[in-house]
Amino acid sequence: MGASGPGTSQAPIAVHDHVGTAARTPNARAALMAICLGFFMILLDGSALNIALPSIQADTGGSMAALQWLVNIYTIPLAALLLSAGTLADRIGARRVFLWALGGFSLASLICALSPSLLVLLVFRCVQGTFAAGVLPTTLAIIARTYPDPAERARAITVWGATGGIALVAGPIGGGLLTETLGWRSIFFINVPIGAVALWLAWRHIGETARRQDESFDWLGQLLAIAGLGVLVAGLIEGGERGWSASLTVVLLGASIPILLGFVLTESRVATPILPLAMFGKATFSASIANGFAFQFGAYGLQFMLAIFLQSQWGYDARTTGLFFVPFALLWTFATLVLNRRWSGRGMRWLLVTGSLIAAAGALICLAVGERSSWPILLAGTAAVGFGCGLFGPSCNGAAMAAADPRYAGLASGVLNTSRQIGMAIGIAVLGVCLVLPGPIAGARVGIALTVAAFVSIAVLSLRYVPGRSTAADGPRS
């Protein structure tokens, strides 16, 4: 089998020589620190903003719709541009894209902090989302090429995943403290020193990745991907906020179908597509992309739905609701940082299957949700979900990157993160709708059952398609 196809696992010798040298230098750890700081900043910004929204409204006098757009106008360009950013990283170098994107995000954060009006804040939140799309896929691409050894790469991705978990825990807590003590602008100011440190480390210690030389550029595919993904995510967001029968929701979701179909048709015909469909010919990669979708759908969709349920049905305030999810977050972080690394020798398939089944069992416990007196059961169930997600989450990323052609590392990371973003958007939209079904408790149980199905699907796909410790990552095991 030749090395030219995007679905193959081979790569030119120069690529392996380059990343192997980078991994043997003492700078690999500093490079990982730079990557994790950039990733931390992206997630911290999003999770901290939710806590600051009431303060922003009080200060700017903005409407509730404007506040919703502060969140959405970041999410839409982020999801829409991930594929394009991944392709750009493969063509001009992941280090270069990471530096420019991180610098742009930091500058946009500074302008958000200094914004004189809500309109300026909205515009530069959009700019933030655009540059965040450049940071996300390059982080995994740099890790994949800096750590060619599978065991070292798995440990690095575990650290990367733990960074995300810590950011999601620190965001609401830190955002609340910063907003109460220094005001809402401080949640944007904090990105500036973090970004400066990450930029310095990246400039000094990250080596440029190999570049893929294509004869032509798939401009039509780029435009269709951006338009299709942007319209789809916007439709999902509007569906969750306005209702699925609202005219804007129907128009957006309806428009996304022909655009995305046109994208697939274009990619099957052009000589150098932005997304070579042959990538999905490798079963391990396709299963890992599906796992990323199910992971975000179940973990974040469940958290979103239960946060609303606790406040609307049990009468919890925002602070009590946040404290309720502390065991969920702490066990997630512990499983990622400690157990995932300790048990990494058992292989990604074992971690995926074991972790997803634990998460499914935790969600099953949550099915006993009822009146407020059932809070201990729900607390135990969500804690088990967090523990299971922390155990298998990093392996979703690791399995996808291990199965991808090294020349397409940036694109593979873009595909994975796009799948995860869409999974989260659909999870929030679908599970949010469950709460408006006749009988909120029954609706919550329907949503919980969907998360059980998502976690079980990860176990099934991983058991069938993700290789064990001694199996080549070329397809389903026999």
Side-chain angles (χ1 to χ4, degrees):
M1 182 180 294
S4 59
T8 65
S9 59
Q10 302 175 10
I13 298 296
V15 173
H16 290 290
D17 287 345
H18 174 80
V19 296
T21 301
R24 287 192 295 270
T25 67
N27 295 338
R29 184 170 296 180
L32 180 61
M33 185 180 296
I35 292 166
C36 288
L37 279 175
F39 184 49
F40 178 85
M41 184 172 65
I42 297 297
L43 295 186
L44 183 74
D45 183 86
S47 58
L49 177 68
N50 294 328
I51 303 298
L53 287 176
S55 179
I56 294 175
Q57 184 178 34
D59 189 28
T60 64
S63 65
M64 181 57 64
L67 292 178
Q68 290 172 339
W69 270 106
L70 275 178
V71 177
N72 299 343
I73 207 167
Y74 176 90
T75 303
I76 292 172
L78 170 59
L81 293 169
L82 283 169
L83 284 181
S84 298
T87 300
L88 186 65
D90 288 335
R91 291 176 67 98
I92 70 172
R95 176 183 182 272
R96 182 179 299 179
V97 175
F98 179 78
L99 287 171
W100 278 102
L102 190 62
F105 186 90
S106 302
L107 180 60
S109 298
L110 178 61
I111 299 176
C112 284
L114 299 173
S115 57
S117 67
L118 184 60
L119 177 60
V120 174
L121 183 58
L122 282 166
V123 169
F124 282 92
R125 278 290 290 168
C126 181
V127 175
Q128 275 189 312
T130 301
F131 283 117
V135 173
L136 274 183
T138 52
T139 56
L140 281 175
I142 293 170
I143 288 175
R145 286 168 170 167
T146 304
Y147 294 88
D149 178 75
E152 292 183 0
R153 185 192 309 130
R155 285 191 287 269
I157 290 178
T158 296
V159 174
W160 178 88
T163 301
I166 293 170
L168 292 174
V169 175
I173 298 173
L177 290 174
L178 286 171
T179 301
E180 289 180 7
T181 57
L182 300 175
W184 63 265
R185 296 178 187 274
S186 61
I187 68 171
F188 296 110
F189 269 126
I190 196 66
N191 291 333
V192 179
I194 296 175
V197 173
L199 278 169
W200 182 81
L201 287 171
W203 182 265
R204 290 286 304 272
H205 301 295
I206 293 179
E208 187 55 273
T209 59
R211 305 174 191 178
R212 192 181 77 242
Q213 299 297 326
D214 291 333
E215 295 181 357
S216 59
F217 194 70
D218 180 18
W219 288 107
L220 180 59
Q222 294 277 355
L223 293 174
L224 289 173
I226 293 170
L229 292 171
V231 171
L232 173 62
V233 173
L236 292 171
I237 291 171
E238 291 300 320
E241 293 177 356
R242 298 172 180 260
W244 298 102
S245 59
S247 57
L248 181 58
T249 303
V250 173
V251 169
L252 289 171
L253 292 179
S256 71
I257 296 174
I259 297 174
L260 291 174
L261 286 176
F263 170 71
V264 173
L265 183 62
T266 299
E267 300 310 278
S268 67
R269 294 188 175 186
V270 298
T272 55
I274 174 182
L275 179 61
L277 300 182
M279 291 180 70
F280 298 97
K282 181 174 288 189
T284 301
F285 180 78
S286 296
S288 299
I289 298 304
N291 282 347
F293 175 94
F295 171 40
Q296 298 285 101
F297 178 96
Y300 293 97
L302 180 67
Q303 186 181 28
F304 171 82
M305 182 186 72
L306 291 181
I308 295 176
F309 179 84
L310 292 175
Q311 295 178 75
S312 63
Q313 299 303 314
W314 287 2
Y316 285 7
D317 58 26
R319 179 176 298 179
T320 304
T321 301
L323 291 174
F324 189 90
F325 285 103
V326 167
F328 170 91
L330 289 179
L331 284 176
W332 184 318
T333 305
F334 172 75
T336 301
L337 275 175
V338 179
L339 296 183
N340 198 286
R341 301 184 72 180
R342 180 173 297 177
W343 293 339
S344 61
R346 303 187 182 192
M348 286 187 287
R349 184 172 67 199
W350 186 90
L351 290 167
L352 281 162
V353 173
T354 303
S356 59
L357 289 179
I358 291 173
L364 282 171
I365 294 172
C366 293
L367 281 174
V369 63
E371 300 302 326
R372 189 168 178 169
S373 59
S374 64
W375 70 264
I377 298 174
L378 192 62
L379 185 69
T382 55
V385 171
F387 180 83
C389 288
L391 196 59
F392 80 82
S395 293
C396 284
N397 308 311
M401 298 309 295
D405 186 325
R407 293 171 299 141
Y408 291 85
L411 177 59
S413 180
V415 172
L416 174 63
N417 281 290
T418 299
S419 173
R420 291 178 56 150
Q421 287 289 323
I422 294 175
M424 182 169 63
I426 292 179
I428 289 173
V430 171
L431 299 188
V433 168
C434 290
L435 291 180
V436 300
L437 296 175
I441 293 177
R445 288 173 178 166
V446 171
I448 293 168
L450 291 175
T451 67
V452 173
F455 292 136
V456 170
S457 71
I458 293 172
V460 173
L461 286 172
S462 301
L463 191 63
R464 180 71 181 92
Y465 294 111
V466 176
R469 286 178 295 176
S470 59
T471 308
D474 288 327
R477 65 187 183 95
S478 57

